Amino acid sequence: MRFRTAIISLTIIGVCTALCGCTPADTIAVTGSVSSGVVVLQVPALVTVVPDLDAGFAGGGATGSASAGTAGVSRSAIATVSAITGLGSYLRVASIEANPGANVKAGQIIARFDSASLEANVGVASANANVAAAQVGVLDSAIEKTSSSAADLDAARATLESTIDQLTTSRSQLSVQLAQTQAALASLPTSPAPPQAAQLQAAIMQLQAGISQMDAGLVQARAGLGTLDAGSAALVAARAQMRDLRAIAVVASDASKIGVLVAQYQLSLSVVRSPVDGVLVGVADVGDLLAPGATVAAVREDAPAKVTTWLAADQLARVRVGDSATVSGDWMAAGASVTGTVSHIGSRADYPPTSFATDAVHLTRAVPVEITIPSAVLPYGAPVDIAVVPSG
């Protein structure tokens, strides 16, 4: 995060001219401060997570209560882990890779935090993702079993239907034989009864008994067919429900992969890298326990120095981008100064900060003006005197 602080005061040109006679009449004399050049690196806020054994199921988590970035983990669990490890509250500096005063490049490692718990976070998140993916496999297996059961039911149904067809055909044949036998018996003389009459009577009784048995078998077979139909319907309903659960489990599995990415990103934050080329002007010490937002290191960027001041409306009317400006300071060598140009004029007038003590600006709105000095390296926050030479 780049911190720019403008601690400045405005000196009216007439006052300066009257007191010291040091400024030409067409020059705007103001004061300002060095406002750029230092990039401050801060401690990130990190959270430790705990395993979620219900990953992959809707409403997962031991308590059903979730915290941002830790789906399925109860708030009390997060608070407990954070209290034990200190993560989410403090990070301990494990090593320093560059000393103050050293030139650093963008991306160069400056410091490392203790990352043991963060590495564990990656393992926990990966375990959660594996559990969620396993739930999808469990449901796939269950769906496959219902498919096998459906195939078994279809085979049983085909067998029953074949049996019913065979029984129906056999009954028809027996009915024909019964009719033929009864006709043959009726054609015999009744008195005296021939020997064949008793044989035909016995055959009729056997045929009738066989037809009765086949009728009972058909009743049982058709009842079994009805049972299979009901079982098939229940199996279809169960398969549909499991497919719906699988769709939910797939979504949960995909979401759990995000937790892995988050944990890996948090682990990457345990390594502090310089975002710019520059000089390391400050860094924490090994063993320091730092809260989120605390400064870990500060890098003075290799870039043109900038100073900031505020101009009232009557002054701003005379100034344009590109106007020349001379910058000096009582902390410089006697008579030393550097030259810059007006590089930016603010787009709106506001009341300057209370640290800007000149009444001429404090009692009216003013506009921030930035001046770039490409040929000098100025200390961040140092007060400076500015003489702007309007070109118009």
Side-chain angles (χ1 to χ4, degrees):
M1 176 177 180
R2 192 182 301 268
F3 287 87
R4 299 184 177 185
T5 308
I7 305 175
I8 55 181
S9 62
L10 178 64
T11 305
I12 303 175
I13 184 171
V15 175
C16 181
T17 303
L19 293 179
C20 60
C22 60
T23 308
D26 62 345
T27 300
I28 299 174
V30 291
T31 60
S33 66
V34 179
S35 58
S36 68
V38 174
V39 179
V40 176
L41 308 180
Q42 296 177 293
V43 178
L46 305 176
V47 176
T48 299
V49 299
V50 296
D52 180 11
L53 300 181
D54 292 327
F57 289 115
T63 66
S65 174
S67 178
T70 55
V73 181
S74 67
R75 288 185 175 89
S76 60
I78 291 177
T80 299
V81 175
S82 295
I84 293 174
T85 64
L87 293 177
S89 299
Y90 295 90
L91 288 177
R92 188 180 300 279
V93 179
S95 66
I96 298 299
E97 307 293 333
N99 296 318
N103 292 313
V104 295
K105 296 294 183 181
Q108 181 177 336
I109 297 175
I110 296 177
R112 299 177 189 270
F113 293 116
D114 184 359
S115 62
S117 294
L118 298 175
E119 292 171 357
N121 282 357
V122 176
V124 169
S126 298
N128 288 347
N130 291 336
V131 170
Q135 304 303 340
V136 177
V138 169
L139 290 170
D140 283 338
S141 177
I143 292 171
E144 184 178 355
K145 288 180 180 178
T146 61
S147 298
S148 299
S149 298
D152 293 339
L153 287 176
D154 289 341
R157 180 184 177 84
T159 300
L160 275 179
E161 289 176 343
S162 176
T163 300
I164 290 171
D165 289 341
Q166 292 175 1
L167 288 174
T168 301
T169 300
S170 297
R171 188 187 186 286
S172 298
Q173 293 174 349
L174 288 179
S175 297
V176 171
Q177 293 177 8
L178 177 60
Q180 292 174 349
T181 303
Q182 288 173 338
L185 179 61
S187 66
L188 292 177
T190 57
S191 180
Q196 295 88 348
Q199 296 176 354
L200 290 174
Q201 188 65 44
I204 288 173
M205 293 178 64
Q206 290 177 354
L207 289 171
Q208 288 174 339
I211 291 173
S212 296
Q213 291 176 354
M214 289 185 180
D215 287 341
L218 285 170
V219 170
Q220 292 179 353
R222 291 190 177 104
L225 197 60
T227 300
L228 288 178
D229 288 340
S232 296
L235 200 61
V236 169
R239 188 186 302 119
Q241 184 178 19
M242 283 188 287
R243 284 174 175 168
D244 291 341
L245 288 175
R246 183 189 184 280
I248 296 173
V250 168
V251 173
S253 177
D254 292 341
S256 67
K257 296 175 183 177
I258 299 175
V260 178
L261 297 178
V262 171
Q264 291 173 341
Y265 172 70
Q266 288 189 331
L267 177 60
S268 72
L269 295 181
S270 67
V271 178
V272 180
R273 300 177 184 270
S274 175
V276 296
D277 294 346
V279 176
L280 184 63
V281 296
V283 65
D285 295 325
V286 174
D288 284 353
L289 199 61
L290 304 178
T295 298
V296 183
V299 179
R300 187 177 67 226
E301 185 177 4
D302 290 341
K306 297 181 187 294
V307 298
T308 299
T309 187
W310 293 77
L311 297 182
D314 58 333
Q315 297 170 321
L316 191 64
R318 302 168 52 198
V319 177
R320 300 176 184 176
V321 172
D323 286 353
S324 176
T326 300
V327 177
S328 60
D330 56 8
W331 45 271
M332 294 182 180
S337 64
V338 292
T339 302
T341 57
V342 175
S343 56
H344 178 74
I345 297 175
S347 59
R348 55 178 290 174
D350 289 310
Y351 289 108
T354 55
S355 56
F356 199 96
T358 304
D359 290 345
V361 172
H362 238 350
L363 298 179
T364 59
R365 294 180 185 272
V367 176
V369 174
E370 188 176 75
I371 297 169
T372 299
I373 302 122
S375 59
V377 176
L378 303 181
Y380 174 70
V384 293
D385 297 317
I386 306 168
V388 181
V389 181
S391 60

